Amino acid sequence: MEKIRIAVRKFDPFESTLRKLWDAFSLQNNIKIEAEMVALELHDLYETTISDKGLKEGKWDIAHINTDWIYDAANENAVLNLFPLIGENPPENYPFGWHKSLLHLQKLSNGIFGLPFHDGPECLIYRKDLFENETEKENFKKQFGYELATPKTWQEFAEIATFFNRPEQNLYGAVFANYPDGHNMVFDFCLQLWTRGGSLLNNKNQIDIHNEAAIKALDFYRKMVNDATAVHPKSREFGSVEAGLAFAEGQAAMAINWFGFASMAEVIEESKVKGKIDITSLPSDPGHKTASLNVYWLYTIGSGSKHKKLAYDFLRFATTPESDKLLTTEGGIGCRKSTWKDAEINTLIPFYHKLEMLHENALTLPQTPIWPKVAELIDGTVLKAIETDIPSAILLEETQKKIRELSQGTTLHSSVKN
């Protein structure tokens, strides 16, 4: 029997949403073709769709591709340019139904290579029941001499994490995602860099991470995640999903993670912190601005797909306001403004409307074919920083040399903004 094959980012809300959407789409349009959905971890997903040419050779018809990879995918001619299809038959209220920050990364060389699927920039997720508790507030002020509130600086973040660290209660001050997958620690490093006034790019628009702000960022991060008096001991084993689940199970007072994990903790059955959480902007060094990171997931169509029209029809269906809202109620993050402002969603997840605020401070990663390799180098550097005593300046200098070698002859795409 003929099938349409969909490569799905492994995450229960994504899997359940896609299954429900395909069933509804098939029923509504009398589609007889079966959808084979395969849920894959990040590394496997990139490998099968792009490295092994699965999208280009038609092994996959549709795939979840994140914006870290979309330049690579378009460069390899792995994903279909949707520009002509959108011109003929656009998704509902396209482009006005989405915030502009969710539309620019997939626009490359006059093409549009995907539609927004799941989003939710990085933010500080915290237990408001702990922060608002009168006894906690009193004890904190006695110990630190200032009022307990969400941290505005990284110094405050470290002190608050220490204060709430209570291993005997299975409660830790903060939880991080330190599993080395080329993503989590890279994003954390970028956030530390940006909130200290740094940039990934020098004045020649080249990737440059050997600078004072980067050294400060790495120094703080390696010390913070190794602080057994403040941080969840399993952070080294956690990817963002596992860190998100640990927070949902009530094991941390604070987390720096994707907005989606705050939302998830309000809707999944196993959450022990429903109604007890909120989100806010990340801390920053004094004199510098907060920042967020916007990396989002796209629906893409394989350039080698034999079902391009059917795949596009499904993408249009999967990005309607109703479908976007379904993703949210399943535990993912809808990308449409209508979902962010939806009264029912904001009753279910009271901080949902804050997505717009996060997008206003959201920066993006450099768009260059070498970024996945650069990310691997940064990932290795952060891991080495956590596991050794080699000075941050030396680690960053070594990494910068390798980045320079990779960079020979490559250019950045003009839409980069960090």
Side-chain angles (χ1 to χ4, degrees):
M1 186 179 172
E2 206 175 3
K3 289 179 181 175
I4 189 164
R5 298 192 78 230
I6 305 177
V8 182
R9 164 66 171 117
K10 190 177 171 68
F11 182 42
D12 287 346
F14 294 177
E15 295 165 53
S16 60
T17 301
L18 264 285
R19 177 51 58 199
K20 286 179 181 178
L21 288 177
W22 182 264
D23 289 348
F25 171 73
S26 302
L27 193 65
Q28 189 174 308
N29 297 283
N30 196 27
I31 306 291
K32 299 300 182 195
I33 293 178
E34 189 187 323
E36 182 186 351
M37 299 181 190
V38 182
L40 298 153
E41 296 288 6
L42 281 170
H43 179 78
D44 299 329
L45 182 57
Y46 180 86
E47 201 162 279
T48 186
T49 55
I50 301 169
S51 305
D52 295 346
K53 300 183 169 34
L55 283 166
K56 196 173 185 176
E57 293 175 358
K59 290 172 191 161
W60 299 105
D61 298 289
I62 294 169
H64 286 153
I65 297 290
N66 76 42
T67 50
D68 278 0
W69 309 339
I70 196 62
Y71 190 101
D72 223 13
N75 226 38
E76 297 284 332
N77 296 319
V79 285
L80 187 68
N81 177 6
L82 305 180
F83 184 77
L85 294 164
I86 290 169
E88 286 168 27
N89 192 11
E92 192 174 327
N93 197 24
Y94 185 90
F96 308 105
W98 289 268
H99 192 286
K100 63 183 186 299
S101 74
L102 288 167
L103 297 172
H104 77 278
L105 288 176
Q106 62 271 36
K107 282 187 180 175
L108 300 157
S109 312
N110 300 320
I112 299 172
F113 293 92
L115 292 174
F117 160 61
H118 163 88
D119 176 46
E122 293 255 16
C123 59
L124 178 69
I125 310 169
Y126 67 97
R127 288 274 302 276
K128 66 178 181 182
D129 61 321
L130 296 176
F131 277 79
E132 291 168 4
N133 181 289
E134 290 305 323
T135 308
E136 301 288 7
K137 284 158 84 167
E138 201 178 306
N139 291 340
F140 183 85
K141 189 161 188 188
K142 272 182 203 163
Q143 194 175 334
F144 293 99
Y146 61 94
E147 300 292 338
L148 176 62
T150 52
K152 296 291 179 284
T153 68
W154 289 112
Q155 177 65 32
E156 289 174 4
F157 177 87
E159 289 170 354
I160 293 166
T162 308
F163 176 73
F164 281 123
N165 203 66
R166 296 157 195 181
E168 71 285 356
Q169 297 172 25
N170 199 24
L171 174 67
Y172 300 93
V175 61
F176 288 89
N178 293 133
Y179 184 76
D181 63 359
H183 296 272
N184 300 306
M185 290 192 294
V186 178
F187 301 151
D188 278 353
F189 171 76
C190 293
L191 293 168
Q192 291 292 332
L193 176 69
W194 293 332
T195 53
R196 286 171 171 79
S199 171
L200 289 166
L201 306 173
N202 62 20
N203 55 14
K204 293 177 183 168
N205 214 31
Q206 298 160 327
I207 296 173
D208 184 357
I209 60 163
H210 185 223
N211 54 59
E212 195 182 334
I215 293 165
K216 281 185 185 172
L218 193 54
D219 277 345
F220 174 83
Y221 190 70
R222 73 196 302 185
K223 185 182 174 193
M224 187 77 234
V225 301
N226 276 318
D227 188 346
T229 69
V231 173
H232 197 299
K234 287 193 174 171
S235 291
R236 295 269 189 103
E237 301 160 34
F238 287 163
S240 56
V241 174
E242 293 78 15
L245 287 168
F247 185 86
E249 286 163 8
Q251 294 175 23
M254 298 184 290
I256 292 165
N257 209 333
W258 303 104
F259 179 93
F261 294 110
S263 173
M264 180 187 82
E266 285 285 1
V267 297
I268 62 169
E269 275 180 40
E270 55 269 44
S271 176
K272 293 176 183 162
V273 293
K274 287 181 192 185
K276 298 177 181 177
I277 55 181
D278 205 346
I279 67 110
T280 189
S281 306
L282 292 186
S284 58
D285 259 12
H288 296 293
K289 290 195 308 185
T290 184
S292 180
L293 170 62
N294 191 27
V295 172
Y296 50 97
W297 285 93
L298 299 164
Y299 285 113
T300 65
I301 297 172
S303 58
S305 170
K306 294 183 179 70
H307 303 288
K308 292 186 182 77
K309 186 187 179 304
L310 178 64
Y312 181 69
D313 288 344
F314 177 63
L315 263 55
R316 284 189 72 253
F317 180 86
T319 54
T320 63
E322 296 76 19
S323 299
D324 198 65
K325 186 173 173 178
L326 172 69
L327 173 66
T328 304
T329 56
E330 289 289 308
I333 296 294
C335 291
R336 280 183 173 268
K337 292 180 196 170
S338 58
T339 306
W340 300 353
K341 292 172 180 170
D342 186 278
E344 192 184 342
I345 295 294
N346 277 282
T347 301
L348 185 68
I349 304 158
F351 45 83
Y352 214 83
H353 60 281
K354 293 186 182 180
L355 267 168
E356 199 143 8
M357 167 195 85
L358 294 177
H359 275 281
E360 294 305 315
N361 293 312
L363 299 172
T364 57
L365 299 167
Q367 282 193 298
T368 165
I370 63 163
W371 177 254
K373 290 187 177 70
V374 171
E376 277 179 32
L377 290 174
I378 294 173
D379 199 47
T381 303
V382 180
L383 186 64
K384 204 180 273 190
I386 291 169
E387 292 182 342
T388 73
D389 294 326
I390 302 166
S392 299
I394 291 171
L395 289 172
L396 291 165
E397 187 179 16
E398 286 171 359
T399 307
Q400 187 56 37
K401 279 180 191 164
K402 292 175 187 168
I403 290 171
R404 212 171 289 123
E405 286 164 21
L406 279 178
S407 300
Q408 303 303 325
T410 62
T411 53
L412 289 170
H413 186 257
S414 58
S415 77
V416 73
K417 51 166 201 171
N418 63 359

